Amino acid sequence: MTYAMDRLIVTPDDIDLSRSPLTGHLPKSVLGETYVLGAFNPGLTRLDNGNLLLLVRIAEALKNPIFDGHVHAIRWDDGRYVLDAWPLDLVDSADPRVFKLRGGGWKIIALTSLSWLLPVELTPDGLEVVAMHYDKAVAPQDSLQCYGIEDPRISRVEGRFLMTSCSVSPERHSTTLYSSPNGLDWTFEDIVLDHQNKDMLIFEGKVGGEYWAQTRPLGDVYFAYPPGSEWRAGPSINLATSKDGLYWKPHRKPGIRPHSATVATARMGGGTPPILTPEGWLSLWHGVEPKELVGIYRTYWSLLDKDDPACLVRTDHAPLIEASPELTRPIEHQMYLRDVVFTTGIVDGGDHYIVASGEADLACRITHIPKSVFAAKVESMN
């Protein structure tokens, strides 16, 4: 499906790394030079002044990661940034985003970049950049974030801005919570979900007086559904509830699950924080069709019951948003992944929704989706 208003709003060339949190920490030579591997997967909210706020993940990588027979990774270490060296004969670097360490009984990886978050203010329609707030950047501040902070999602609940993010370290791959009084100044609260439970999306409003969230635990083993089941075993979007937004209890009922009728959503995870519509909670999420190393990422939608979000009102197997080679043509020289769109934010734009996505793990994309699109889909499914 195509949309009349659909464009890239932030690309790697828009980022000024002289104002990066890493500036001044790495070696002052060619070995310490960095570049923007991606400016993507942004959280999205509307500020009190009416403008939109993108919280953009900046993946900053070494230009020359391999030297002296080693591959190097950036790591935060007690307020400074350092380089770790791994012998080349111990690594597999087929994926440009990570390298695998050979040996041992587990899948162990290190990242080719370190991510921090840049607040980017946009016009109310999301189509022009107003300011890049480098002074408000969100950077690692604890050992549990030593490999970076990734994929923020912003929700506004009862006037308070809440941001979940994935914090990466050898200690754990966890979900962390930040809060803000204004959407620009962010305070680290704590870990809220433990190892490999990510893509946490807090509903933009309470249900029955409690906070609700979608989560997506990962693992190496999944149990099979019975033969003939409408569901496919694998990663799914689960639910959790909280009385204070900090301590979370898993919900006993399943959330959104992969459907056996299609392989396009064989793997899935949360996309945008669910927003309340007259018909229920609108949830945009990603489905991944297996293909080569990374797969094909597309955006889908589901409508959840307003009083019991574990109840699915309706969904659609047709993708809402797909990767756009036309949009990325001007930055073709920077492409390292294809067939990936990763939707991460949504706000009300009147007769349409303004939707933010990461495109190709490289840039930020803004799409205006008419509300009539969802109404038309509803009619076609009744």
Side-chain angles (χ1 to χ4, degrees), residues 232 262-268 285-300 317 319 322 338-340:
R232 181 188 301 273
T262 175
V263 297
T265 56
R267 192 172 83 225
M268 59 168 48
W285 47 273
H286 65 265
V288 186
E289 179 179 350
K291 180 188 176 184
E292 298 173 349
L293 193 63
V294 176
I296 302 173
Y297 280 72
R298 304 179 179 94
T299 300
Y300 299 84
H317 292 315
E322 298 185 83
R338 302 188 187 276
D339 299 323
V340 173

Side-chain angles (χ1 to χ4, degrees), residues 18-37:
S18 71
R19 304 179 70 182
S20 160
L22 279 65
T23 298
H25 289 272
L26 300 178
K28 294 182 178 180
S29 69
V30 66
L31 303 182
E33 290 183 1
T34 61
Y35 73 103
V36 179
L37 178 66

Side-chain angles (χ1 to χ4, degrees), residues 5-55:
M5 195 59 68
D6 194 9
R7 65 175 63 172
L8 299 186
I9 191 66
V10 178
T11 68
D13 289 343
D14 296 323
I15 307 306
D16 181 2
L17 286 187
S18 71
R19 304 179 70 182
S20 160
L22 279 65
T23 298
H25 289 272
L26 300 178
K28 294 182 178 180
S29 69
V30 66
L31 303 182
E33 290 183 1
T34 61
Y35 73 103
V36 179
L37 178 66
F40 62 114
N41 294 5
L44 175 67
T45 192
R46 190 175 295 280
L47 301 174
D48 288 338
N49 65 5
N51 286 344
L52 299 187
L53 190 283
L54 286 181
L55 197 54

Side-chain angles (χ1 to χ4, degrees), residues 44-171:
L44 175 67
T45 192
R46 190 175 295 280
L47 301 174
D48 288 338
N49 65 5
N51 286 344
L52 299 187
L53 190 283
L54 286 181
L55 197 54
V56 181
R57 173 183 171 185
I58 308 299
E60 189 168 348
L62 293 170
K63 286 185 177 179
N64 303 286
I66 299 176
F67 55 90
D68 294 338
H70 291 72
V71 61
H72 295 76
I74 306 170
R75 177 172 54 86
W76 179 92
D77 180 29
D78 196 21
R80 62 195 183 106
Y81 295 89
V82 298
L83 299 182
D84 292 333
W86 302 92
L88 282 174
D89 58 358
L90 293 183
V91 306
D92 175 355
S93 56
D95 188 329
R97 304 167 301 173
V98 303
F99 56 86
K100 298 178 183 178
L101 299 178
R102 298 190 180 98
W106 310 101
K107 179 182 177 181
I108 301 174
I109 64 173
L111 299 176
T112 61
S113 63
L114 184 143
S115 291
W116 49 277
L117 309 180
L118 175 63
V120 177
E121 191 170 347
L122 307 179
T123 51
D125 59 7
L127 300 180
E128 301 291 340
V129 173
V130 173
M132 293 193 174
H133 298 280
Y134 288 93
D135 59 325
K136 309 289 187 182
V138 180
Q141 62 184 79
D142 191 278
S143 61
L144 63 91
Q145 302 172 319
C146 69
Y147 287 148
I149 308 170
E150 304 177 350
D151 301 347
R153 306 317 211 282
I154 302 174
S155 304
R156 194 169 187 179
V157 185
E158 297 181 343
R160 185 183 181 211
F161 294 91
L162 300 174
M163 184 261 286
T164 61
S165 62
C166 182
S167 291
V168 188
S169 78
E171 297 173 6

Side-chain angles (χ1 to χ4, degrees), residues 225-307:
Y225 283 100
S229 171
E230 63 177 312
W231 308 116
R232 181 188 301 273
S236 60
I237 300 171
N238 292 357
L239 293 163
T241 60
S242 173
K243 296 188 182 303
D244 60 4
L246 192 60
Y247 296 94
W248 293 85
K249 176 189 176 300
H251 192 60
R252 70 178 66 181
K253 295 180 182 178
I256 303 173
R257 293 176 280 177
H259 204 281
S260 62
T262 175
V263 297
T265 56
R267 192 172 83 225
M268 59 168 48
T272 63
I275 60 172
L276 190 59
T277 74
E279 295 189 281
W281 295 98
L282 178 62
S283 170
L284 274 55
W285 47 273
H286 65 265
V288 186
E289 179 179 350
K291 180 188 176 184
E292 298 173 349
L293 193 63
V294 176
I296 302 173
Y297 280 72
R298 304 179 179 94
T299 300
Y300 299 84
W301 67 272
S302 295
L303 196 66
L304 312 177
D305 186 87
K306 65 182 181 66
D307 297 316

